[in-house]
Amino acid sequence: MSSSQTPSYGPLHAVQVLGATAGAHVSSLAGGLVARGVDVTVCGPAEAAEAYGFAATGARYTPVEIGGRPSPRADALAVAALRAACARADVIHAHGLRAALLASLAVPAPRRPALVVSWHGAEPASGSRGGLLRLLERRVARAATVVLGTSSELVDQVRRLGARDARLAPVALPGPRLDPERPGADPECARQKRRAELGAVDRPLLLAVGRLEPHKGYDLLLDAARDWRFLEPPPLVAVAGEGGCRPALQHRIDTEDLPVRLLGRRDDIAELLAAADLVVLPSRWESRPLIAEEALHAGVPLVATAVGGIPELVGDAAALVPHGDARAFGRAVTTLLADPDRRARLAAEGRVQAATWPSEDDTVAQVLSVYDELRAG
């Protein structure tokens, strides 16, 4: 359904509850809802308001500390703030597990608005932490009126957890990071300048993007990089992201003399993509990784682990390998570097695959149809 076909929702009041993830998606959704006449309040971490441009969406933004470290006091304050913000809501839409849990606790009684949960998934855990995670997931799945899963795997998962109504709702790729060109800039000149800054003028450049956390699989990437040292010339692996694993990763890079650079948090991902020869995604689990979407959309060949929602997302437009097999991952990269024709085919197939994904307008229209159904019900 196009925006011109989408009916105006007049006085409908929707509260978006944002945790530590999906900020770009919620900003896009809020702007689309406001443009269609919905009264939108966004509740989320104070720093997310500026980071994701919520002021430009036309939605009200209420700072609520949802994405920080859980504690009884912090959770109680968050629930109280959400209860006040949701007092007159027709629909509460929570994004992520913790946001959904707090929203479910804050839903006002006796007039309970519908609770929609966008299920982005979480890193699989084991032991006592895994048991607690499964309990929380089950509680949220059963509390939600409708769960929107970002991949078919997640929809199946949430149904097994006891959700009353679970539907596939892929998240659209936000547009702003896709165009690396600036007015008046020569794309090839900008590309070479970025490669020179990274130290990859006469060598292949591999790009990885994501938080430096265990589930991102950077240990496997470093294992593969050991063999790349002996290529001529050896490729440079640039990793954009920050996180708790940085000291351990840097220690390995230094002691094993690996051709890897940790770039830290970056706001120039589009430019880095334009400079890269390949994107590498070694994750242990992913739902719908933004960097995979961006790579295919930009025509940069992708080597990724076949986990979570990645195979469904990329189809045949990427080189997929089993997780945990560093040698297979390394071979997939070296094979592509040696085969420019296959890289060109993957680049073209990636753009074709990206054209099948929903647009931001499609995503807003689907969410509106859910809200309308719930209000009518």
Side-chain angles (χ1 to χ4, degrees), residues 222-268:
L222 297 192
D223 289 343
R226 281 202 298 254
D227 293 335
W228 299 336
R229 292 175 301 177
F230 306 109
L231 298 177
E232 188 57 45
L236 173 66
V237 185
V239 182
E242 198 55 84
C245 292
R246 183 182 182 113
L249 294 173
Q250 190 63 61
H251 178 73
R252 279 197 61 186
I253 292 167
D254 295 339
T255 57
E256 299 176 35
D257 192 26
L258 300 177
V260 179
R261 282 191 60 186
L262 303 181
L263 305 180
R265 188 175 289 109
R266 302 287 291 234
D267 60 2
D268 59 346

Side-chain angles (χ1 to χ4, degrees), residues 86-98:
C86 297
R88 292 179 294 171
D90 298 298
V91 177
I92 302 171
H93 190 163
H95 303 264
L97 181 62
R98 185 153 183 258

Side-chain angles (χ1 to χ4, degrees), residues 15 236 361:
V15 176
L236 173 66
D361 193 68

Side-chain angles (χ1 to χ4, degrees), residues 39-308:
D39 182 14
V40 178
T41 298
V42 179
C43 298
E47 61 273 14
E50 182 176 353
Y52 296 105
F54 279 100
T57 67
R60 288 183 299 276
Y61 198 93
T62 301
V64 179
E65 293 310 312
I66 296 171
R69 184 179 297 275
S71 72
R73 182 175 182 276
D75 288 352
L77 290 173
V79 167
L82 288 174
R83 185 171 291 129
C86 297
R88 292 179 294 171
D90 298 298
V91 177
I92 302 171
H93 190 163
H95 303 264
L97 181 62
R98 185 153 183 258
L101 177 64
L102 296 177
S104 70
L105 295 172
V107 171
R111 188 190 67 83
R112 296 186 181 275
L115 175 62
V116 177
V117 175
S118 282
W119 198 275
H120 300 275
E123 175 193 357
S126 58
S128 58
R129 183 175 179 275
L132 176 59
L133 179 63
R134 285 187 290 274
L135 284 173
L136 295 179
E137 288 178 333
R138 188 173 297 112
R139 189 200 187 286
V140 167
R142 296 178 178 181
T145 314
V146 174
V147 179
L148 304 177
T150 57
S151 70
S152 297
E153 181 196 47
L154 289 179
V155 172
D156 291 341
Q157 176 193 26
V158 79
R159 284 173 178 160
R160 290 193 298 269
L161 289 169
R164 290 172 283 172
D165 187 340
R167 311 179 191 184
L168 179 63
V171 173
L173 175 61
R177 278 184 17 169
L178 292 179
D179 185 6
E181 299 180 26
R182 294 176 180 173
D186 179 347
E188 183 57 27
C189 180
R191 181 177 188 272
Q192 293 303 327
K193 180 182 178 182
R194 188 71 58 182
R195 290 175 70 91
E197 291 172 351
L198 296 173
V201 174
D202 298 317
R203 61 197 296 197
L205 176 62
L206 313 182
L207 176 66
V209 178
R211 300 189 310 278
L212 305 185
E213 301 296 345
H215 76 280
K216 289 296 184 179
Y218 290 120
D219 51 346
L220 179 140
L221 183 62
L222 297 192
D223 289 343
R226 281 202 298 254
D227 293 335
W228 299 336
R229 292 175 301 177
F230 306 109
L231 298 177
E232 188 57 45
L236 173 66
V237 185
V239 182
E242 198 55 84
C245 292
R246 183 182 182 113
L249 294 173
Q250 190 63 61
H251 178 73
R252 279 197 61 186
I253 292 167
D254 295 339
T255 57
E256 299 176 35
D257 192 26
L258 300 177
V260 179
R261 282 191 60 186
L262 303 181
L263 305 180
R265 188 175 289 109
R266 302 287 291 234
D267 60 2
D268 59 346
I269 300 303
E271 289 86 348
L272 292 173
L273 270 170
D277 296 294
L278 296 177
V279 168
V280 288
L281 184 60
S283 303
R284 298 177 183 175
W285 184 86
E286 293 279 2
S287 168
R288 192 180 177 90
L290 179 59
I291 186 57
E293 294 186 78
E294 291 180 313
L296 268 61
H297 200 290
V300 183
L302 171 70
V303 178
T305 44
V307 297

